[in-house]
């Protein structure tokens, strides 16, 4: 597990592998996205899974975020323990112990989760009602990702009406993730496909409202689709995540946010031009995009579990020298090198 170092320790001396953040770049990315949300008149609910860092989440809230989006109950618990008072679990929570945890969190914070099943909705409602709390629920709409979510207005209507009738839950609106659009390389095609997806969401919203069902929140959006999604007239909230730290995958799609995250490795072996770093795929994610050396010191040849091999362009780096690596995919890299937020919570207690 990587250690936490004092601010004054140079990155060239830290124990590796380790995550390294450029806080100036982080703040620039933070301000850019916060400003865009204000210009589009939508609420900003950044995705916590991109960085899994309480301090960064607090910076996002201070910059105007209405709350945070999370992928897991453990992440939500870490945030509510840190007194961040508005959390959306963008997932279906069906396990009994996790529903119990949702109810406990709802006693100290505004907590929401996604639903696409009536039995699951009833389970959440009965648990929350027994605990004397209210859990917010949002109907997830499948707009082309073909993962979770309902696929027509009729099913969305059934769940929304049931949510308004049950004690223990509050119908907070609808949500989608247009992830099938997020990695389309061509900006024009990505925007067009995103509009198609959000138009599907909008048709559900319009149908619900035609049935006299109030839809308080319409939530969607990823980093690479936020501009198209956020400018849709019916969208009220966006959920970008990767923009804060960025990575090579997203930078190739959206270059107006800068990469703030690197991984520091140490040269542990060198034979001729071939150098070996102590940061393999357990430290640097290459999912969907291979990493690069930050300082253009050479060309990466291969990556193993604990080692990264590259061919140096000159006499440096030498054995023991630190080298920075740009991650192909930031959220998975963070997940490799940061402890589970639940672990940090348990250590505090």
């Amino acid at each position: 597990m990587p250690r936490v170092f004092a601010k004054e320790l140079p990155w060239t001396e830290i124990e590796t592998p380790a995550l390294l953040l450029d806080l100036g770049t982080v703040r620039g990315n933070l301000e850019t996205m916060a400003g865009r949300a204000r210009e589009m008149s939508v609420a900003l609910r950044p995705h916590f899974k991109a960085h899994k860092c309480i301090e960064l989440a607090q910076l996002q809230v201070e910059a105007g975020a209405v709350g945070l989006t999370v992928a897991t109950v453990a992440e939500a618990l870490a945030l509510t323990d840190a007194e961040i008072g508005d959390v959306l679990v963008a997932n279906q929570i069906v396990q009994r112990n996790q529903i119990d945890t949702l109810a406990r969190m709802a006693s100290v914070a505004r907590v929401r989760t996604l639903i696409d099943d009536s039995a699951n909705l009833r389970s959440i409602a009965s648990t929350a009602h027994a605990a004397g709390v209210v859990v917010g629920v949002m109907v997830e709409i499948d707009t082309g990702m073909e993962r979770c979510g309902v696929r027509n207005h009729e099913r969305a209507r059934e769940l929304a009406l049931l949510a308004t009738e049950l004690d223990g839950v509050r119908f907070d609106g609808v949500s989608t993730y247009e992830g099938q659009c997020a990695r389309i390389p061509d900006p024009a095609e990505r925007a067009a496909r995103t509009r198609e997806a959000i138009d599907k969401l909008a048709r559900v919203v319009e149908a619900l409202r035609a049935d006299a069902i109030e839809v308080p929140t319409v939530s969607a959006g990823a980093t690479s689709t936020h501009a198209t999604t956020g400018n849709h007239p019916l969208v009220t909230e966006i959920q970008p995540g990767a923009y804060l730290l960025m990575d090579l995958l997203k930078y190739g799609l959206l270059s107006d946010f800068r990469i703030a995250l690197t991984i520091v490795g140490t040269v542990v072996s060198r034979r001729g031009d071939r150098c070996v770093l102590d940061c393999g795929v357990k430290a640097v994610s290459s999912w969907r995009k291979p990493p690069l050396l930050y300082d253009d010191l050479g060309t990466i040849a291969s990556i193993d579990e604990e080692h990264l091999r590259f061919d140096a362009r000159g006499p440096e780096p030498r054995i023991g020298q630190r080298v920075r690596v740009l991650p192909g995919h930031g959220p998975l890299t963070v997940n490799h090198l940061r402890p589970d937020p639940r672990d940090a919570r348990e250590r505090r207690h």
Side-chain angles (χ1 to χ4, degrees):
M1 189 64 65
R3 297 181 181 179
V4 177
F5 298 95
K7 293 180 181 179
E8 63 270 14
L9 187 67
W11 69 266
T12 53
E13 298 178 16
I14 63 177
E15 185 176 338
T16 62
L19 294 174
L20 185 68
L21 283 185
D22 181 333
L23 287 179
T25 299
V26 166
R27 291 184 184 277
N29 292 342
L30 177 81
E31 293 166 3
T32 297
M33 185 61 81
R36 289 186 181 177
R38 288 192 295 270
E39 290 170 4
M40 295 185 292
S41 298
V42 292
L44 176 60
R45 186 181 293 277
H47 217 306
F48 182 65
K49 72 175 182 179
H51 55 74
K52 289 180 179 283
C53 178
I54 296 297
E55 292 81 1
L56 292 178
Q58 290 169 333
L59 285 178
Q60 290 174 311
V61 171
E62 290 169 7
V66 296
L68 273 291
T69 304
V70 301
T72 69
V73 170
E75 291 174 351
L77 194 54
L79 289 172
T80 56
D81 276 358
E83 299 182 353
I84 290 178
D86 195 326
V87 179
L88 165 64
V89 183
N91 218 330
Q92 280 66 27
I93 304 305
V94 301
Q95 297 180 57
R96 167 54 55 191
N97 64 319
Q98 293 187 351
I99 293 174
D100 290 341
T101 302
L102 276 181
R104 289 199 304 272
M105 288 189 293
S107 67
V108 297
R110 183 179 176 88
V111 176
R112 300 172 175 176
T113 190
L114 302 185
I115 56 166
D116 63 6
D117 178 79
S118 56
N120 178 221
L121 172 58
R122 290 182 184 278
S123 181
I124 294 169
S126 63
T127 300
H129 182 58
V133 299
V134 174
V135 172
V137 293
M138 301 183 73
V139 177
E140 182 170 10
I141 312 299
D142 179 8
T143 56
M145 186 67 176
E146 297 185 350
R147 195 165 63 185
C148 300
V150 302
R151 299 185 179 183
N152 55 61
H153 156 245
E154 291 77 12
R155 187 66 184 131
R157 180 179 183 275
E158 290 174 12
L159 288 170
L161 286 174
L162 181 58
T164 62
E165 296 167 358
L166 292 173
D167 293 326
V169 292
R170 178 187 62 248
F171 177 59
D172 280 345
V174 298
S175 180
T176 195
Y177 173 51
E178 65 279 16
Q180 74 279 8
C181 310
R183 288 182 290 273
I184 296 174
D186 180 68
E189 182 185 355
R190 185 167 68 248
R193 292 277 299 279
T194 300
R195 279 192 293 272
E196 290 177 7
I198 303 306
D199 283 344
K200 291 180 182 178
L201 177 68
R203 286 194 288 274
V204 173
V205 173
E206 289 168 344
L208 290 175
R209 289 176 175 167
D211 289 334
I213 300 172
E214 183 180 356
V215 185
T217 302
V218 180
S219 188
T223 291
S224 59
T225 63
H226 77 275
T228 302
T229 299
N231 277 305
H232 193 286
L234 290 188
V235 170
T236 66
E237 178 180 278
I238 55 173
Q239 303 174 22
Y243 75 92
L244 194 65
L245 305 187
M246 289 297 284
D247 53 32
L248 292 171
L249 177 62
K250 297 299 189 299
Y251 188 74
L253 300 170
L254 202 69
S255 59
D256 42 357
F257 293 89
R258 295 173 54 212
I259 299 177
L261 176 71
T262 53
I263 299 86
V264 184
T266 300
V267 179
V268 295
S269 179
R270 177 164 184 166
R271 292 179 178 85
D273 293 337
R274 177 58 55 87
C275 299
V276 181
L277 295 177
D278 63 350
C279 53
V281 292
K282 289 183 177 178
V284 185
S285 173
S286 57
W287 184 64
R288 298 188 182 273
K289 189 80 172 180
L292 292 174
L293 297 182
Y294 181 86
D295 294 306
D296 197 29
L297 293 172
T299 303
I300 294 176
S302 62
I303 310 177
D304 303 314
E305 285 188 56
E306 307 288 353
H307 301 95
L308 182 152
R309 289 174 279 184
F310 71 94
D311 294 316
R313 304 193 196 284
E316 291 193 346
R318 305 180 189 279
I319 291 178
Q321 189 169 332
R322 306 303 194 267
V323 173
R324 289 177 291 177
V325 180
L326 289 163
H329 188 262
L332 278 181
T333 296
V334 168
N335 193 63
H336 291 334
L337 279 180
R338 278 192 64 82
D340 189 309
R342 179 174 47 191
D343 297 335
R345 176 184 59 83
E346 289 172 351
R347 284 197 300 274
R348 288 199 303 274
H349 294 297

